[in-house]
Amino acid sequence: MTDAVSSVQTGYDRWAEVYDHDGNPLQGLEEPVVRATVGEVNGLRVLDLGCGTGRHSLWLAERGAVVTAVDFSEGMLAEARRKPGADAITFIAHDLRTSLPFTAEFDLVVSGLVLEHLRDLNHFFAEARRVLKPGGRAVISAMHPAMFLRGTQARFTDPSSGELVVPGSVPHSVAAFVMAAVRAGFSISNVEEFAPSTEFAARYPRASKYVDWPMLVVLELTA
């Protein structure tokens, strides 16, 4: 494992304890958008790539999806597994930089806020495409690359030490996301960018300096 990969993995292991509770505005902006884009999932086989603490996996399972969720952070997976409803989900420890241990067996792939931690976008999108059934869909969200222009990337404050921890991010462009999806054989149904409003910032104060600045990009793809 390279130092860069280890840094991301160790960072998210440490982040797991507070990930769901630190008022991250990007999560607050992303979750309703992803859920609206995903739509009806009852009876679908869904793969959550980079599931973290299970934010999307649990919601999908509650709505009748058969969910498999993968992440390489044991700390994040431990948090996900202890939540109500987790027993209905198959959680697997797996590094998304390597090939997925699945065939073309899923109706839907969901991935939330993972792309900035992956250097090889082509591999990620190719694997997401490979494990989808013909006509399957993928909904992929990412921190908007414009956030890097503001000096922002994934980070958190360790509650025990007070240390600012930056797991490590790669400054891709939106074009890089789109072209990696195209090269993988996806058809692009929609690409949309989202910025926080003043109303949103009132609920998530850390978003106040980003009002009307793009924080999130969401891709809707078809295999």
Side-chain angles (χ1 to χ4, degrees):
M1 182 180 293
T2 66
D3 289 343
V5 173
S6 178
S7 172
V8 175
Q9 187 171 17
T10 302
Y12 273 89
D13 284 342
R14 295 175 64 184
W15 200 349
E17 181 182 351
V18 296
Y19 188 80
D20 292 328
H21 316 293
D22 66 354
N24 187 332
L26 190 56
Q27 294 174 37
L29 189 63
E30 185 246 18
E31 286 182 11
V33 171
V34 167
R35 293 176 182 184
T37 304
V38 164
E40 177 60 51
V41 297
N42 187 41
L44 298 184
R45 293 198 65 188
V46 183
L47 177 62
D48 185 357
L49 295 177
C51 66
T53 60
R55 330 181 268 125
H56 294 311
S57 296
L58 290 160
W59 177 82
L60 290 160
E62 286 172 1
R63 279 147 186 81
V66 179
V67 181
T68 301
V70 301
D71 202 286
F72 75 165
S73 167
E74 292 288 0
M76 288 282 184
L77 289 172
E79 288 294 320
R81 288 181 175 123
R82 65 170 54 105
K83 293 180 178 179
D87 289 347
I89 300 167
T90 301
F91 289 103
I92 298 173
H94 182 81
D95 188 341
L96 296 182
R97 294 165 181 81
T98 65
S99 297
L100 294 168
F102 312 111
T103 58
E105 57 194 275
F106 296 98
D107 303 294
L108 173 69
V109 166
V110 173
S111 183
L113 307 179
V114 170
L115 295 186
E116 70 168 288
H117 300 302
L118 299 172
R119 189 165 298 280
D120 188 352
L121 295 176
N122 290 331
H123 174 78
F124 172 83
F125 280 98
E127 284 295 288
R129 171 69 179 79
R130 182 182 64 78
V131 301
L132 279 169
K133 299 174 183 177
R137 299 169 58 232
V139 176
I140 312 292
S141 74
M143 188 183 79
H144 198 291
M147 293 293 284
F148 284 88
L149 300 177
R150 301 288 293 271
T152 296
Q153 56 184 285
R155 64 182 68 185
F156 72 100
T157 300
D158 188 305
S160 300
S161 65
E163 176 190 0
L164 180 64
V165 180
V166 183
S169 300
V170 180
H172 299 295
S173 64
V174 173
F177 297 156
V178 169
M179 291 311 300
V182 169
R183 282 190 290 268
F186 278 112
S187 296
I188 298 177
S189 303
N190 193 42
V191 179
E192 196 163 358
E193 300 163 300
F194 299 88
S197 64
T198 52
E199 292 79 13
F200 179 87
R203 291 185 285 118
Y204 291 88
R206 285 162 53 191
S208 59
K209 61 182 178 180
Y210 303 119
V211 169
D212 296 330
W213 185 267
M215 287 184 70
L216 177 72
V217 58
V218 177
L219 291 78
E220 184 179 3
L221 312 169
T222 304

